Amino acid sequence: MTDRIALRELEDHAGFRRRHLGLTDADRGKMLAALGLAGPAELVEQAIPASIRTAEPLALAGPRTEAETIAALRRLADRNQVFTSLIGCGYTDTITPPVILRNVLENPAWYTAYTPYQPEISQGRLEALLNYQTMITDLTAFDLANASLLDEGTAAAEAMTLCRRASKAASPVFFVDRDCHPATLAVVRTRAEPIGIEVRVG
Amino acid sequence: MRDLTPVVDAAHAHGALAVVAADLLALTVLKAPGELGADVAVGTSQRFGVPLGFGGPHAGYLAVHDAHKRMMPGRLVGASVDAAGRPALRLALQTREQHIRREKATSNICTAQVLLAVMAAMYAAYHGPEGLRRIAQRVHRLTSILADGLRTAGYGLVHEAFFDTITVRCPGRAEELAAAARARRINLRVVDADSLGITLDETTTVAVVRAVWDAFGVPADLDVHELDRTSRDALPDELLRTSRYLQHACFQSYHSETEMLRYLRRLADKDYALDRGMIPLGSCTMKLNATTEMEAVTWPEFARIHPFAPAEQTEGYAELIGGLEAALCAITGYDAVSLQPNAGSQGELAGLLAIRGYHRSRGDAGRDVCLIPSSAHGTNAASAVMAGMKVVVVACDAGGNVDLADLAAKAEAHAADLAAVMVTYPSTHGVFEEGIVELCDIVHRHGGQVYVDGANLNALVGLAKPGAFGADVSHLNLHKTFCIPHGGGGPGVGPVAVRSHLAAFLPGSEAVPAISAAPFGSAGILPISWAYITLMGGDGLRAATIDAVLAANYVAARLDAAFPVLYRGADGLVAHECILDLRPLSAATGVSVDDVAKRLMDYGFHAPTMSFPVAGTLMVEPTESESLAELDRFCDAMLAIRAEIDRDASLLHRAPHTAEDLLVGEWDRTYTREEAAYPLPGQRHNKYWPPVGRIDGAYGDRHLVCTCPPLEELAEG
């Protein structure tokens, strides 16, 4: 058999590339021709200034197949130990209802959408976010809540600067209760100092 | 736990405002911050069904009263109406935001944590108010029983009023007892040498309570159910909640799994995501989020890890994080990376704070001017102000490039106080500017540092490295270039990457204690980017970049005659995205970018980025993941729309068309129903129907409603 392919090639370690990239070699040929370019090298030479271009290959491991990558992740996961954490500090274990886990967190219809700048085609998540805002305003007994911030620390820092803008007091002091979560205090301190807010803890 | 009313009153008496951080589960049984007189409430919604993930991502929350609504940072969803008067939702009060207010903005927050906020809201809808209250009562009961058991063994508590957290006095024994708990696979919080914190949650079982007792040496014969009969709640009477909550239909209607399943499906079906078609949003890099990349995120070994778990329990995370940091350094040419920032905006701020810390460490505290080109994203300016810098705007030339003469003049004028320049590369105009190396030299010569915004890194990976061509710091967007999905508006991960001289000023340092609450930010989704890099390898990543550039240039070439491409590089090529200039067409025909964007919905597409970075334009970024067939389908749609503008522009003005528009009532338009709904042949067997027509945003801002309608209102309707 003269056309026998080596095992290394049959294993196809770079196979994921075909899944991630939408174009086939034939497509690339057509597109380059439409642009009047001889090949990908010419595209790179013309598009990217020589002063910054690098020909050196990236010093990375891989590629690995999807199965190999899952196995590698499995090995990493096995080095984490799931203890019962009663540490608190703003983080508690929780039961994600499986219907929500599978149909929201693991559902590309929810996770591959973009920010709802085009509202006509985003009514589903806008409704879910309106529910979120309602939940927050109701539980906190406030008029208005936003569609979420990055974490509790960031929310506290944003609250601090909001108070600075809204307060009529001249004092630059933001007082923080010593029983607040340490991580929240750390973010508040980071954000206060450059803009001249003095954080006092007591 | 204590009554905060006196503190709040005292703050108000001195002209100050009061912020209360509150636990949402506790608020189902305790008085709300609004009832205590607070001005702002903040916290996290993590415990509403969002996995720990070693620290994130989770949705933080912020609530204000009406008086402060225009000062509130972040995204806000509000009700409005569409062209036919139907109720419809959209983002409200957008003029507050940093992309419009630039250096006058008071926050650089661009994004939310939409996916996680959706989960938390659905958790509340699934359990309803009674279910949430039952969870809260159970957690509190177990905490009270745990406390009683510890008391019988002679331990005292620091606070006698509590909800789910007790602080146990154990003079000199905190470490020893924590180790005893760890031997039973339980982590406690060592507050100091003499006290331990214990926080229970909905996953806590009677067995866990017993195991904690065992670690503290509580006699094994103590009976939980016996104590249950005698234990008393530790919630002060005056703080008990009496007001009702979550009475709206959405929190009452989906308690059975069947109803919840169908509700989630119904909502998802209204939305357009990558599972339907291309989202060619310029500067957003909406590429494939492969299933294999997503797999590990929900494994318990990644999902159920507390951010402050002991290091020996998180070795897998440490290796994954170390590997990802090393890979990002190799890709960008930088020397150190912090994965802590949990959004691009936070990476920006962290990068600028690193520059600030560096200057101050050298006695250069006066260096506080940040040069920013007029083409920059508004967030850049907002971040600079938050880092204590003054923004000086640098002009762009007619070709859209940074005007190097203007840059040199301003760097010269500010030679004594120049802190940094912030540029995006390739530029926000979608062009590889030839002058980038010279730009870096000019700024360095005048004592400044170079910040390269990594928003467009998808055009560089494997072809050029910012850390090697002259930049000192960048933030990256793992949710763009490295495949973390956008989640409908969050989560994101915005690592900050620096050259070695700035490494001592990354988050977690003395100069910058913390940019996010958790040490590794949104660690729970880092396996996605790790997997992408591992799957692709160095050659694969380079190939992806070339395909992304090829796709953008192909689209630019196909559309240029109909919609002129505004900016190009020296050789006539664009980078990984292209700006289509509609301004002459708009002036001649009255058709706006909005009209084209909405008409694309009828064709089954998400619009490109509108009016950024140039008003009146559309910016297209196809990414490497789209097939030639899909690129052609998009180009065909755009060309067909161009023809419609000449034939009958009302097709665009009245877009998008809902099924109801076409089916109900008389048809009196100048075009056919077929032209409205099936403009391309392939759509007869694959049609996405926009659920509402064109939304009137201004109406909603005039009549601001940002919560669900109460049940009574629905009953009246």
Side-chain angles (χ1 to χ4, degrees):
Chain A
M1 271 164 60
T2 49
D3 60 348
R4 193 164 186 274
I5 301 167
L7 176 61
R8 199 180 297 281
E9 214 172 307
L10 287 170
E11 283 183 333
D12 200 18
H13 293 281
F16 177 74
R17 197 193 286 197
R18 288 193 303 275
R19 312 292 177 201
H20 179 78
L21 302 179
L23 304 176
T24 64
D25 278 340
D27 294 337
R28 290 184 188 97
K30 280 186 218 159
M31 293 161 72
L32 287 163
L35 293 166
L37 296 166
E42 197 180 348
L43 173 72
V44 170
E45 274 166 35
Q46 288 198 14
I48 299 171
S51 56
I52 63 164
R53 205 187 311 139
T54 171
E56 202 184 317
L58 289 173
L60 297 173
R64 296 193 210 175
T65 66
E66 292 177 70
E68 289 165 343
T69 301
I70 288 294
L73 281 165
R74 192 65 256 168
R75 282 193 294 279
L76 290 174
D78 288 343
R79 296 186 60 205
N80 290 333
Q81 297 182 63
V82 183
F83 277 34
T84 299
S85 279
L86 308 180
I87 298 169
C89 296
Y91 302 93
T92 49
D93 203 358
T94 179
I95 298 166
T96 311
V99 63
I100 295 173
L101 181 74
R102 179 167 290 200
N103 295 289
V104 179
L105 185 56
E106 296 179 341
N107 181 351
W110 287 95
Y111 69 69
T112 70
Y114 190 69
T115 302
Y117 285 135
Q118 296 292 341
E120 293 85 357
I121 55 175
S122 312
Q123 291 294 303
R125 59 192 184 281
L126 285 166
E127 180 173 328
L129 291 172
L130 194 76
N131 294 350
Y132 181 82
Q133 293 177 178
T134 304
M135 172 183 90
I136 300 296
T137 55
D138 236 37
L139 288 174
T140 58
F142 273 71
D143 297 327
L144 209 63
N146 63 24
S148 76
L149 288 175
L150 301 170
D151 58 21
E152 180 164 346
T154 315
E158 292 290 339
M160 169 180 74
T161 55
L162 189 154
C163 288
R164 176 66 281 183
R165 299 193 293 280
S167 167
K168 291 175 196 76
S171 162
V173 172
F174 186 69
F175 180 86
V176 182
D177 188 317
R178 62 175 177 272
D179 287 337
C180 282
H181 296 312
T184 303
L185 179 59
V187 177
V188 164
R189 280 189 198 282
T190 304
R191 295 276 299 272
E193 193 267 337
I195 51 174
I197 294 177
E198 186 189 327
V199 175
R200 282 197 212 154
V201 182
Chain B
M1 188 197 307
R2 60 181 190 276
D3 186 359
L4 297 173
T5 316
V7 182
V8 171
D9 289 347
H12 288 164
H14 290 85
L17 276 70
V19 181
V20 171
D23 179 292
L24 291 179
L25 189 63
L27 295 186
T28 64
V29 292
L30 290 173
K31 267 192 186 160
E35 296 170 326
L36 303 175
D39 301 289
V40 187
V42 297
T44 173
S45 45
Q46 180 266 317
R47 78 184 308 166
F48 277 23
V50 182
L52 287 166
F54 198 34
H58 316 128
Y61 74 80
L62 184 144
V64 299
H65 296 304
D66 266 337
H68 299 133
K69 67 187 174 195
R70 281 171 206 278
M71 294 187 196
M72 185 165 64
R75 299 269 185 252
L76 181 65
V77 175
S80 192
V81 293
D82 77 356
R86 289 172 290 235
L89 302 168
R90 89 285 176 250
L91 295 175
L93 302 182
Q94 292 219 63
T95 48
R96 297 165 305 132
E97 293 186 18
Q98 82 297 329
H99 57 266
I100 294 180
R101 293 181 53 81
R102 305 183 79 89
E103 67 268 23
K104 292 187 187 64
T106 45
S107 163
N108 69 343
I109 295 283
C110 311
T111 195
Q113 296 274 24
V114 168
L115 189 66
L116 304 315
V118 168
M119 288 179 71
M122 290 305 167
Y123 177 95
Y126 181 72
H127 288 296
E130 293 80 18
L132 291 176
R133 193 176 169 84
R134 188 164 56 240
I135 293 169
Q137 286 172 333
R138 176 175 172 276
V139 170
H140 181 64
R141 182 69 55 79
L142 282 172
T143 313
S144 304
I145 291 171
L146 173 71
D148 280 351
L150 292 172
R151 284 194 192 100
T152 64
Y155 293 94
L157 303 186
V158 174
H159 308 289
E160 291 298 332
F162 54 80
F163 167 60
D164 65 350
T165 300
I166 54 175
T167 309
V168 186
R169 278 188 230 280
C170 47
R173 296 184 60 211
E175 291 290 354
E176 170 208 331
L177 291 169
R182 271 200 302 282
R184 291 158 180 82
R185 296 185 69 84
I186 292 172
N187 295 318
L188 306 181
R189 177 185 174 210
V190 177
V191 179
D192 54 40
D194 307 317
S195 52
L196 280 170
I198 309 178
T199 300
L200 302 193
D201 57 62
E202 68 165 323
T203 69
T204 308
T205 58
V206 167
V208 168
V209 171
R210 285 187 202 284
V212 174
W213 281 346
D214 192 42
F216 278 78
V218 176
D221 57 0
L222 197 62
D223 183 351
V224 166
H225 296 288
E226 188 68 32
L227 275 182
D228 180 35
R229 278 196 288 281
T230 55
S231 87
R232 288 166 51 171
D233 281 358
L235 307 171
D237 285 343
E238 69 275 16
L239 291 181
L240 291 179
R241 182 156 191 158
T242 53
S243 55
R244 301 196 325 155
Y245 48 85
L246 307 185
Q247 297 300 305
H248 315 77
C250 63
F251 300 111
Q252 305 283 347
S253 312
Y254 309 111
H255 300 168
S256 85
E257 182 162 329
T258 300
E259 289 299 331
M260 176 54 77
L261 181 71
R262 291 176 187 162
Y263 184 49
L264 292 173
R265 175 64 191 256
R266 196 155 73 239
L267 293 184
D269 276 356
K270 291 183 180 185
D271 285 15
Y272 188 98
L274 280 176
D275 61 340
R276 287 190 191 275
M278 180 179 181
I279 303 183
L281 281 162
S283 129
C284 301
T285 314
M286 298 296 288
K287 60 166 74 171
L288 172 73
N289 316 116
T291 312
T292 293
E293 293 154 8
M294 298 295 295
E295 287 260 290
V297 170
T298 49
W299 294 352
E301 295 85 350
F302 287 116
R304 293 189 70 186
I305 304 286
H306 193 284
F308 303 120
E312 65 268 19
Q313 294 167 24
T314 58
E315 287 174 359
Y317 259 122
E319 188 180 334
L320 182 136
I321 287 166
L324 184 55
E325 287 174 351
L328 293 175
C329 284
I331 289 166
T332 57
Y334 288 107
D335 302 310
V337 169
S338 167
L339 292 167
Q340 192 186 101
N342 49 14
S345 60
Q346 306 307 295
E348 257 179 44
L349 178 60
L352 290 168
L353 290 176
I355 290 174
R356 182 171 184 268
Y358 170 75
H359 285 314
R360 290 163 87 90
S361 76
R362 293 156 45 96
D364 260 350
R367 289 196 172 274
D368 63 354
V369 166
C370 187
L371 302 178
I372 298 183
S374 56
S375 58
H377 199 283
T379 310
N380 286 174
S383 298
V385 171
M386 286 169 64
M389 295 182 185
K390 299 187 193 92
V391 173
V392 172
V393 178
V394 177
C396 287
D397 64 21
N401 302 309
V402 176
D403 181 339
L404 288 180
D406 190 48
L407 176 92
K410 282 173 175 153
E412 176 81 46
H414 291 283
D417 56 4
L418 183 63
V421 68
M422 275 186 107
V423 292
T424 302
Y425 201 82
S427 74
T428 56
H429 290 159
V431 171
F432 288 107
E433 295 183 37
E434 296 283 333
I436 184 70
V437 175
E438 192 186 342
L439 179 149
C440 295
D441 283 347
I442 293 170
V443 172
H444 284 147
R445 267 205 311 279
H446 293 92
Q449 295 280 295
V450 177
Y451 187 108
V452 167
D453 183 322
N456 292 342
L457 191 72
N458 210 45
L460 291 180
V461 175
L463 299 181
K465 301 178 180 184
F469 65 63
D472 301 290
V473 50
S474 289
H475 81 270
L476 320 174
N477 297 289
L478 300 191
H479 48 287
K480 296 181 184 175
T481 321
F482 298 99
C483 295
I484 288 177
H486 281 71
V493 176
V496 54
V498 296
R499 290 176 59 197
S500 56
H501 63 283
L502 296 177
F505 309 98
L506 287 174
S509 63
E510 201 182 317
V512 186
I515 209 80
S516 303
F520 298 101
S522 293
I525 50 177
L526 297 178
I528 301 168
S529 297
W530 188 95
Y532 173 60
I533 293 169
T534 304
L535 287 161
M536 294 293 276
D539 289 347
L541 291 174
R542 180 183 160 94
T545 308
I546 295 172
D547 275 2
V549 173
L550 176 61
N553 278 287
Y554 177 77
V555 170
R558 274 208 66 189
L559 296 183
D560 186 49
F563 304 98
V565 173
L566 184 55
Y567 297 119
R568 296 173 186 274
D571 278 309
L573 295 176
V574 298
H576 65 311
E577 58 194 7
C578 60
I579 299 179
L580 307 177
D581 190 1
L582 271 70
R583 291 170 300 182
L585 189 64
S586 297
T589 65
V591 165
S592 67
V593 282
D594 246 40
D595 292 330
V596 175
K598 305 307 176 190
R599 182 62 179 148
L600 273 168
M601 295 170 184
D602 288 332
Y603 280 78
F605 281 101
H606 192 292
T609 297
M610 295 193 314
S611 291
F612 172 81
V614 182
T617 65
L618 291 171
M619 182 156 62
V620 183
E621 180 182 359
T623 84
E624 71 274 18
S625 295
E626 297 300 338
S627 64
L628 178 56
E630 184 72 354
L631 295 175
D632 278 334
R633 193 171 76 89
F634 173 73
C635 293
D636 291 346
M638 289 294 287
L639 296 174
I641 289 172
R642 180 66 192 83
E644 286 174 355
I645 293 172
D646 292 337
R647 194 169 76 241
D648 184 353
S650 64
L651 271 162
L652 282 80
H653 297 311
R654 304 195 71 170
H657 296 84
T658 67
E660 188 184 339
D661 291 341
L662 271 61
L663 290 168
V664 179
E666 290 297 304
W667 185 257
D668 56 1
R669 303 195 183 180
T670 52
Y671 48 87
T672 67
R673 283 177 282 220
E674 187 176 1
E675 283 175 288
Y678 298 118
L680 287 184
Q683 287 186 280
R684 283 173 193 271
H685 55 85
N686 182 21
K687 171 68 184 172
Y688 167 74
W689 289 99
V692 296
R694 184 92 58 105
I695 295 176
D696 181 348
Y699 174 90
D701 280 355
R702 285 195 306 273
H703 308 89
L704 193 65
V705 176
C706 300
T707 53
C708 304
L711 270 182
E712 308 84 72
E713 201 168 297
L714 288 178
E716 283 163 24

